[in-house]
Amino acid sequence: MATVADVLAETGSSPIARHHALERLAAFVRRECAAPSPVVGVGGTVSDVSRSVIAVRGMSQTAMLGDGVLMRCGDGFYRGEVIRVAESHVLIKPFDDRAVPALGAPVFPDGTLRIAPSPGWKGRVVDALGMPLDGKGPLMPGCESMPADRPPPAAMRRARVDKGLRTGVNVIDIFVPMCFGQRLGIFAGSGVGKSTLLAMMTKATDFDTVVLALAGERGREVRDMLEDTMAGKLEKTVTVVATGDESPMMRRLAPNTATAIAEYFRDRGENVLLIVDSITRFAHAAREVAIAAEEPPVSRGYPPSVFSQLPRLLERAGPGLEGGGTITGIYSVLVDGDDHNDPVSDAIRGTLDGHIVLDRGIAAQGRFPAVDIPGSVSRLAQHGWTPEQKKLVTQLRGLIARFEETRDLRAIGAYQAGNDSFLDQAVTLVPKIYEVMQQTPDMPVSTDPYNDLAAALRKENT
Ligand SMILES: Nc1ncnc2c1ncn2[C@@H]1O[C@H](COP(=O)(O)OP(=O)(O)OP(=O)(O)O)[C@@H](O)[C@H]1O
Ligand SMILES: [Mg+2]
């Protein structure tokens, strides 16, 4: 915690450092004057230790679910969270899996976990607790600290979602157009191109800030994504990383931290793009924590609290108060064994305002992004299209649906040109549409995707 002496020591350097130091001093004074230090209250002692959870006696009468604690392990203190309160003990899950306290070790209350983002966080990579990971020096906290887990704005006070935007991915901008403040899921099995598509969307120029949460993904992919796919576009991006090898507490926290950062920028009036890769790994982490808290599994091993945490997290994205900024949320959903109706995918699909389905068969043909156009829907598409575009896209969707449903017939040679003019048109035009929709991360973003599509179709007709 900053002390007045720390702050004064910093004021001798540059004007920016002085400004940050004064910001920190203001935050410090506000915190100290508004509430007693969070490190007060009744502590306890460790009474049971296992790999998944730690039981503590002596805090049951004062601890609340979700409270933070500090545990002594060897010479250091480790942070944990109260995940269950029983009459005789509380259960604590540490944020660092290596924290294994001895029996009788002291545990102290530490208030709710809070983060304090600031505009200086853009271009930086942080962990789920908001600590820098990129070796670019300390991260200056902002003036306001907020809990990572906050309720969404009240439904009746939120602005309406009706202003279209461009993601820079042509197949989405034409067939599944989005609006500022919309929440969309990208559903696919493993290795079909979710992360690549999300990384392409971070380049969208319509947003002031991009917040990217990488929860439960491979450590190798993090640098690949930041340094290759998103290279040179990081100056307006805050990245929150909790890789698959981190504790379930960190993986569960990362999307919440990213959402809190997005809320901070939204409340400053900015249009924020929040990307979470992947929300399924968040659900897996929430399942691990809930099972450690002794909740019974109800659906495919998922305890009930997972299904209440999902909408709570997803509802926080969306528009802010009337006239303010927005959070446009894009969430990747890893569907279990390519079964699009598994309970987590179902729960997520029901909460979001649209879904894009990626298909393994399309990826196998080498067609990327492997978007299944007939299976993908944006519930707010009418705001993203002009009436002429809507008419055109409806016609093209009809052609694509016809082309796909006759694929097997055509493969066995049962198709003859001249019998069905609509099918003839589909056979001529759809491969061309598919070709124009192909896009790799290194391709420049099209300035007018409709124009490109029209030009390609015209060329085919001549
Ligand atoms: N737009 C694209 N252009 C070219 N190749 C692509 C594209 N999208 C995906 N690929 C190919 O598909 C592979 C898998 O993509 P990606 O890692 O994005 O899938 P994923 O669905 O995120 O996988 P996982 O479920 O394992 O996280 C990439 O390594 C790349 O070869
Ligand atoms: Mg991925």
Side-chain angles (χ1 to χ4, degrees):
M1 180 178 288
T3 65
V4 176
D6 287 340
V7 170
L8 291 178
E10 282 174 29
T11 52
S13 41
S14 70
I16 294 177
R18 213 171 301 140
H19 171 76
H20 284 312
L22 287 173
E23 261 191 351
R24 288 179 63 200
L25 179 59
F28 173 72
V29 170
R30 206 172 299 131
R31 233 182 1 248
E32 293 304 298
C33 299
S37 169
V39 193
V40 292
V42 181
T45 50
V46 172
S47 62
D48 196 291
V49 180
S50 75
R51 277 277 162 218
S52 63
V53 76
I54 290 153
V56 175
R57 281 191 204 283
M59 297 176 75
S60 298
Q61 305 309 317
T62 51
M64 305 283 280
L65 214 54
D67 279 357
V69 294
L70 287 175
M71 273 179 299
R72 182 189 277 282
C73 305
D75 289 339
F77 280 94
Y78 284 81
R79 193 184 283 276
E81 189 182 299
V82 176
I83 59 168
R84 184 184 178 93
V85 183
E87 205 173 353
S88 58
H89 63 278
V90 299
L91 294 182
I92 305 244
K93 191 126 175 92
F95 285 97
D96 186 338
D97 273 343
R98 290 166 304 174
V100 186
L103 282 181
V107 177
F108 304 100
D110 188 35
T112 325
L113 187 77
R114 299 178 81 85
I115 55 158
S118 77
W121 286 31
K122 287 190 197 180
R124 302 293 305 266
V125 183
V126 299
D127 71 7
L129 298 167
M131 294 294 152
L133 286 177
D134 50 9
K136 292 186 186 166
L139 207 56
M140 281 301 166
C143 300
E144 293 295 338
S145 74
M146 56 185 84
D149 188 1
R150 282 205 295 174
M156 290 307 288
R157 295 185 60 213
R158 290 187 111 163
R160 299 203 48 190
V161 178
D162 52 14
K163 186 164 173 268
L165 64 87
R166 289 270 306 282
T167 63
V169 178
N170 294 349
V171 63
I172 296 178
D173 289 338
I174 293 182
F175 289 99
V176 202
M178 294 184 65
C179 291
F180 287 105
Q182 180 170 359
R183 296 152 314 153
L184 190 104
I186 296 184
F187 291 73
S190 59
V192 185
K194 297 180 296 298
S195 303
T196 313
L197 182 58
L198 290 175
M200 285 163 73
M201 287 163 122
T202 59
K203 297 181 187 168
T205 48
D206 278 356
F207 296 98
D208 305 306
T209 304
V210 178
V211 182
L212 172 64
L214 299 175
E217 297 294 299
R218 301 167 198 86
R220 169 192 63 77
E221 277 184 334
V222 175
R223 279 195 71 182
D224 285 358
M225 191 156 172
L226 296 179
E227 291 172 16
D228 297 342
T229 323
M230 294 167 60
K233 301 279 178 188
L234 289 174
E235 71 283 351
K236 63 175 186 181
T237 305
V238 185
T239 310
V240 182
V241 176
T243 47
D245 55 312
E246 289 191 54
S247 71
M249 290 297 284
M250 293 294 263
R251 285 181 274 131
R252 187 184 68 148
L253 183 61
N256 277 303
T257 300
T259 309
I261 296 171
E263 284 167 339
Y264 165 78
F265 287 107
R266 177 193 62 195
D267 294 345
R268 289 167 57 91
E270 297 188 5
N271 285 319
V272 183
L273 174 63
L274 169 67
I275 290 182
V276 177
D277 191 13
S278 84
I279 192 78
T280 313
R281 307 260 191 229
F282 163 82
H284 290 174
R287 170 171 65 184
E288 276 185 62
V289 174
I291 286 175
E294 297 171 8
E295 270 191 55
V298 288
S299 181
R300 287 226 196 150
Y302 289 98
S305 70
V306 175
F307 297 100
S308 56
Q309 285 178 52
L310 280 170
R312 208 168 68 213
L313 175 70
L314 300 172
E315 272 298 323
R316 287 170 66 191
L321 303 182
E322 204 68 60
T326 57
I327 302 176
T328 306
I330 303 183
Y331 301 87
S332 78
V333 185
L334 171 68
V335 292
D336 245 353
D338 288 69
D339 170 13
H340 286 254
N341 295 321
D342 74 89
V344 168
S345 305
D346 250 357
I348 296 168
R349 198 179 303 111
T351 309
L352 297 174
D353 314 308
H355 53 270
I356 291 173
V357 178
L358 303 186
D359 186 277
R360 196 176 292 284
I362 299 176
Q365 294 166 20
R367 232 173 70 209
F368 287 108
V371 175
D372 168 14
I373 295 173
S376 302
V377 179
S378 165
R379 294 186 190 168
L380 298 162
Q382 72 274 17
H383 301 297
W385 287 320
T386 62
E388 299 76 45
Q389 288 170 349
K390 185 176 176 185
K391 198 167 153 214
L392 171 75
V393 173
T394 311
Q395 281 171 356
L396 295 183
R397 274 181 171 270
L399 288 173
I400 293 170
R402 190 57 172 272
F403 183 79
E404 292 301 336
E405 74 198 16
T406 55
R407 190 176 275 279
D408 291 345
L409 282 179
R410 284 181 287 112
I412 58 168
Y415 163 69
Q416 276 188 335
N419 292 338
D420 177 344
S421 63
F422 190 67
L423 181 56
D424 293 345
Q425 212 184 355
V427 171
T428 324
L429 294 181
V430 173
K432 204 69 208 165
I433 300 172
Y434 284 167
E435 200 186 316
V436 186
M437 293 300 118
Q438 288 200 40
Q439 203 172 342
T440 55
D442 46 14
M443 275 165 73
V445 174
S446 157
T447 47
D448 187 348
Y450 284 99
N451 212 12
D452 296 354
L453 179 61
L457 296 183
R458 239 179 271 125
K459 205 162 69 191
E460 182 62 27
N461 281 336
T462 52

